[in-house]
Amino acid sequence: MKRFNFTGMMAPTFAPFKSDGSLNLDVIPTYAKHLRKHGIKAVWVNGTAGEGMSMTVSERKQIAEAWMKCRDDISTVIVQCEAGCFKNTTELIKHAVSIGVEGVALLPNLFDKPKTTDDLVDYMEEASKVCPNTPLFYYHIPMKTCVELSMSEFLEKGAKRILNLAGLKFTDTDVAGEGRKCVLAAGGTLTIFNGFDEKLQEAVSHGFNSAVGGTFSGFPTMASQIFSFMKESNDAEAKKVQEELLIQVGAVFKQSGGFTVASLKTATSLLTGIDMGPTRFPVKPYTPAMVDRLREDLRAVGLSVH
């Protein structure tokens, strides 16, 4: 297969829900235009921010189809298809391929977790059989999956056996160590997305040239500036912007004390004026009082809110 050529910013999309918890697909075209307005024409669908693991197979298909209808604004769509049950996973992969996505991504199996990199290669190889001509990505997010394996070792082994293995999303803090090894794996032919906004400048300094960042929907300006400054080899300014971004991210997660989809989704609604709706159980949505406090926290760091 040809190399998956992508650089820059890809937004992990939120799943818009109505107040009753049902899908609100009518929001997605507006969401897509908002992303394009900010220079983002690529999306990562049904991942962590997108609450993919909290939706039914049917709902996930509808979300993917809705994004594929936004081709005037979005040119690259990667859909995360892990579903727990492998039959459901392969059903989602086949559907994603049938609607013409640019890539398929998979979390590991979350019950019978891979214990070795060989186990993970076996799993991804089996999945690849239903999408042999579509770029396949592994989604590495150990803070959620508790799968702590060497990603560079996985890539070196996987690239030899899985012809459509295109790379991975590296949502891990060790961008200087294991992340750098991933960038260099398989002769540097794979696409490695940085997955932590808090590590963006450091990741780019170690060879990452693409990112899937949770802030890209709600407040993408800082991340865009980091990419621009790093392209100009202006590390000093990029580091200053990164510090500002850390302050903004801190405001988003001030109440929760750390990452939660509810914090980020609610903040994105406030910052964009696009109602993404509540999070779905078991992720507890923000109460009205929490939303008011979040609004003030965002204003306190200089962000404009609706």
Side-chain angles (χ1 to χ4, degrees):
M1 281 188 61
K2 292 182 179 179
R3 179 176 178 176
F4 182 88
N5 289 314
F6 181 87
T7 59
M9 298 165 64
M10 178 178 289
T13 58
F14 297 95
F17 295 128
K18 298 177 182 177
S19 59
D20 64 1
S22 62
L23 294 181
N24 190 6
L25 300 176
D26 291 342
V27 167
I28 290 178
T30 302
Y31 190 176
K33 291 184 184 303
H34 162 78
L35 292 175
R36 185 183 181 186
K37 178 182 177 182
H38 290 277
I40 299 172
K41 296 186 68 178
V43 292
W44 180 282
V45 178
N46 293 339
T48 303
E51 300 177 81
M53 299 304 292
S54 296
M55 289 190 286
T56 67
V57 168
S58 174
E59 288 175 323
R60 291 171 68 166
K61 289 179 179 180
Q62 291 177 66
I63 291 279
E65 290 168 3
W67 280 104
M68 290 299 292
K69 292 177 182 176
C70 298
R71 285 309 211 180
D72 288 345
D73 301 300
I74 302 298
S75 59
T76 302
V77 177
I78 295 179
V79 177
Q80 196 289 117
C81 295
E82 177 58 44
C85 167
F86 192 67
K87 284 188 177 293
N88 288 344
T89 297
T90 56
E91 181 181 342
L92 285 168
I93 294 173
K94 290 176 182 177
H95 174 262
V97 171
S98 74
I99 61 176
V101 302
E102 280 66 44
V104 166
L106 289 180
L107 290 160
N109 186 282
L110 299 177
F111 188 73
D112 291 305
K113 296 180 175 66
K115 297 179 180 179
T116 66
T117 53
D118 288 326
D119 290 342
L120 183 54
V121 171
D122 290 343
Y123 188 76
M124 295 294 286
E125 183 178 36
E126 193 65 26
S128 74
K129 294 176 182 178
V130 296
C131 60
N133 298 310
T134 301
L136 179 64
F137 293 87
Y138 176 64
Y139 183 5
H140 176 60
I141 181 166
M143 70 177 190
K144 287 288 189 181
T145 65
C146 298
V147 174
E148 296 273 6
L149 298 173
S150 168
M151 287 296 99
S152 59
E153 182 179 299
F154 158 71
L155 290 172
E156 292 288 4
K157 292 178 177 179
K160 295 174 182 177
R161 288 172 46 187
I162 306 169
L163 295 181
N164 62 330
L165 182 63
L168 57 79
K169 180 184 175 187
F170 190 81
T171 309
D172 195 319
T173 57
D174 186 21
V175 294
E178 189 63 20
R180 174 63 177 167
K181 291 178 182 178
C182 289
V183 170
L184 298 175
T189 60
L190 304 173
T191 299
I192 311 301
F193 295 98
N194 172 61
F196 267 129
D197 302 71
E198 297 92 330
K199 289 286 184 175
L200 181 57
Q201 186 278 328
E202 184 182 355
V204 177
S205 73
H206 287 287
F208 288 73
N209 61 13
S210 57
V212 179
T215 65
F216 296 176
S217 289
F219 46 113
T221 303
M222 294 295 183
S224 180
Q225 289 178 355
I226 290 169
F227 270 111
S228 295
F229 281 130
M230 292 301 289
K231 188 175 183 179
E232 298 167 359
S233 300
N234 192 342
D235 290 32
E237 286 301 316
K239 288 179 180 179
K240 289 180 182 178
V241 176
Q242 182 71 68
E243 289 302 315
E244 293 178 37
L245 179 58
L246 288 173
I247 292 171
Q248 294 180 346
V249 170
V252 173
F253 300 127
K254 185 176 180 179
Q255 290 187 76
S256 58
F259 174 84
T260 67
V261 174
S263 302
L264 195 55
K265 189 175 190 179
T266 306
T268 300
S269 293
L270 292 174
L271 293 166
T272 63
I274 301 171
D275 185 6
M276 303 293 179
T279 48
R280 178 174 283 186
F281 187 82
V283 178
K284 295 180 179 179
Y286 265 31
T287 64
M290 294 171 73
V291 173
D292 288 341
R293 182 177 169 186
L294 176 59
R295 183 181 287 108
E296 294 308 311
D297 289 339
L298 295 174
R299 284 175 175 156
V301 297
L303 291 167
S304 298
V305 298
H306 290 262

